[in-house]
Amino acid sequence: MARSTATGRHQSQARPGPGPNPGRPPRRQRTFGDVVRALGAFVVLAVLVVGVPGALLHYIGSPFPHHFDSDVLRQPITTKTFVNSLAVLVWLAWAQFTACVLVEGKAAFSGVGMPRHIPGSGGSQLLARQLVAALLLLGVGAATLSPVLGQHGTHHQAEHQGRPGAVAAAQQTPGVPHQGSSNVVAPPEGGAGHAGTVRSIEHTQQDTKFYRIQPPEGRHHDSLWDIAQRHLGDGRRYKEIYALNKDRVQPDGSKLSQASLIRPGWIMEMPGDATGGEIVDMPAAGAQQVQHVAHDIQHYAEHGGAKDTAAEGAGGGAHQAPHQTPAQTPASEQHHSPAAPAPAPAAEQAGAHGAGHVPTVHAAHHGGLSQLPEALIAAPLLAAGLLAALGRRRRTELWQSVAEGILRVPRTPQGPAADADDALRIGADPETVAFLDRGLRALSAQLDAEGRQLPTVYAAWVTPDELHLQLAWAEGRPPAPWELGQDETFWRLARTALPADAGTAAAAPYPGLVTLGTLDEARLLLNLEAVPGVVSLAGAKADRDAVLASVAAELATNGWSDRMTVTLVGFAEDLTALAPARVRHVADVSQAIEALAAETAQRRAALQAAGQDSVLTGRAGRAQHSQWAPHLVLVADRPGDEQTARIAELAADAGRLGIGYLLAADTAAVPGAAWELEISPAGRLTAPLLGLDLAAQRLPAAQYAAVLQLFAQAAGDDGRDPDPGAPAFLVDLSDRGRPGIYARLLGAFEVNGVEAPEADRGPLLHEALALLLLHREGVHPRVLASALWPRGVTEDVRDGLVDRLRDWLGTDPDGTPRLSYDDSGRMVLATSVVSDWDVLQTLHHQAEQGVGANDPVARRRLLTDALSLARGRLLDNRAPGRYGWLSHEIVEAQHPVLVAEIALALATLHLDAGKPKAAVAAVETGMGVAPQDERLWLALLRAAHATGDPARLEFAAASLLSRTAAGPARGLPPRVEALLDDLHPSWRQSLAELA
């Protein structure tokens, strides 16, 4: 899904112009320092590779005796013997280092494959690699030393740094847009009324600049790494920004405690050499708002970040209290108010503060009170997979309850599980998942049609606009619409170039792709099954576990795989609930090794018998053998040395067999590891051999537990009694409960009790109201924004819609707003705003568990009223392209099931009362909403038979057959045919005569 980003608005300015190869990154210009380093590396290599053996031969000669007999062992040990022994050790060290130089040089010059690990080399191979890399600076770019995964990121970074921008100008006039302005805000100067402010800032900070954290655009969130990359030229300098601002109180009263947790509106003090960046569009309020920004910066500089309470009180008056967040409100006041008051309308705020003043946006208005799991929000592919799996789990539980004869109402998540649910809805990017899946399957089908094999892919880079596949080696030109990327080892697919009708019948070619992290706007997916050996992950245990949990959860639920096995070894929590068909847990490494050894031998024999080179050749085309599904093994606890050696032995041929290994490690150096990753406490995932330095995708322990709790609640495995339960919101059905606003969601959307909104505003307001009505527990503003604008939206647009929605819904007669915020920052509707879905659930609950449970007459009346609400499917007149969030809602499956339950119960009551025609009418009404529910088909035949009219029964059978595409022999389900054979044995002949 194409998403606007903060950095992407002006990216077109930096794109290379037309040329022979616009996709190739700009070459890095060699500097004088590069030449000096290269000459130094040449001298060191010459001394170590040529000079050392020459010196040994010249000064010592051969350290071995010219002849060998038993007398040699009896000779006394002299100084010469000792020198010769040392010479032997030096010769061995020289031979090992020379082998390292040859291996590294071959890999660097060829650009194919990873350098082989020389046993026992330790620092020797690292030194050889660095010297070879420095030497090659004279002839080739650093990105061509090996097929490193960092190539794409380097290209993207170069583009990013190459965008035009101007140094932040201290002389910029406040309120006047400046074409070359920077996000790094230099002290404003000039303009009436600002001289004192400017002098104060200059006096306090001198050359220090400031940066205001930008709000997210689409899926892009500002980060200290991005800020350092844009304005300091090196993302690794984010630590300097963090050190300058750690524990300083921000304008909203909070502090910077972790480098990865920053919020829009915060002000960061920057090093004095901060320059450049993308253009800043200053707020449209003119000089007054720029003065407000300057005041924040001045106060931050002068008071060390302490909260400016004096400024808040100025002009605030009585209007300050409604905007306090629970963190700012005294505890005594919080206990007396169950819900935070809604912010005053913008017009009222403007009137209170004076014309032209733009009110400060407060946390309560933005829903900032609830700390959502940012790690899930920042992982769109993982969130999409988890959200889809959660929907499947909820539907399975719903249908299972129907099969058991007790319809259980899906439980509303609570606590951390509710926050995780919101985070999944905000972060999920199903469009990108679909693009990745369709693009890869279409590539497999096209290559098969051309008689070509699937290339070995080490990794994929996904950007907002393109998909890049990084191949193990060049494979020629890809089939259209794929193109060559930055070199012949990259294939690129533009999102807009993929046809809408691209086939997905082919098997998933690269199901082992899994997200490791992000570099700027590019997201790296490593193909675990293609790794030529073991992948190791070093770092502190908590950090390792967070990365492994993310990898395991994404592999279990991703949407670009078919059949796959994920074996988790040593994981503390059981992930089977996420994907029972994919995930299996093994507690002991030895047990896993035994099973993997057998599978490795089996796969090797199967490939040989099938005449296939690898699982890729067997997975594509007409073969598509199920045994070529990947098997990915994640080991959370570091195996012993012998176990590691055994796994490395099994993994030697793993890339060809489709078995991938990711092992936890205490240190970066793991014997037999082909690729070595390391996670830092700051969340950076590095792999020097691969040229990687990413912001890692993680699933920390608390969020990991919340996700598992969410799945447990969805399946009823959280220890609660498996009773049907009650709806989250019950309507007062008495006259006193007459609603102020009544919305019809079942069938065409209608709203009564409020004036129709403006025509151009109506669709968004209706969709926002529908989302709130289907979530009576409350909707986080960020969830609302993600639902209504799945491609991304700025906070001001979202808040503007919320303001209009609140004004449109109005207040109750007692002055209570019909839209307010609860203590967690979620928007909730008043009980006076009711939908027919609320009434339907309430009537069914009253009929089954309320007054109708022991009173057949009351039950029949309640069920009749409920069935009369079934006008059609949920939101039947939804506009194309809108209400996409409904695909993740259980209500889409719950609504037809509940209507069918009501119709069946009412039909049974009518049959018991001797009214079969009324029973037929009830069933037919239910079939209007749930036409494929087999239970209704059976009930229709029984009710029609109860009328005693064979013609009615034959008509019912004919109507059921018309719903199928096949003939009578196989058009009806077996149970329906069996019932017809019992009720009307000659039904086939009768229908044939009618035909």
Side-chain angles (χ1 to χ4, degrees), residues 583-649:
V583 178
R584 70 178 186 183
H585 277 258
V586 178
D588 183 61
V589 177
S590 300
Q591 179 184 352
I593 291 176
E594 182 180 351
L596 288 167
E599 182 175 354
T600 299
Q602 180 183 5
R603 287 197 174 211
R604 188 178 288 118
L607 280 177
Q608 183 177 1
Q612 305 289 354
D613 297 331
S614 70
V615 294
L616 285 179
T617 56
R619 185 177 295 159
R622 291 178 294 276
Q624 296 189 10
H625 294 302
S626 60
Q627 60 262 38
W628 308 141
H631 184 179
L632 306 176
V633 184
L634 310 182
V635 182
D637 292 329
R638 187 189 185 284
D641 293 340
E642 294 183 2
Q643 293 172 332
T644 301
R646 178 58 175 150
I647 292 176
E649 180 183 347

Side-chain angles (χ1 to χ4, degrees), residues 62-85:
S62 173
F64 299 102
H66 298 289
H67 64 279
F68 186 85
D69 54 28
S70 59
D71 293 337
V72 174
L73 300 177
R74 292 192 291 267
Q75 291 179 358
I77 298 177
T78 62
T79 304
K80 183 177 181 181
T81 304
F82 182 72
V83 171
N84 286 341
S85 299

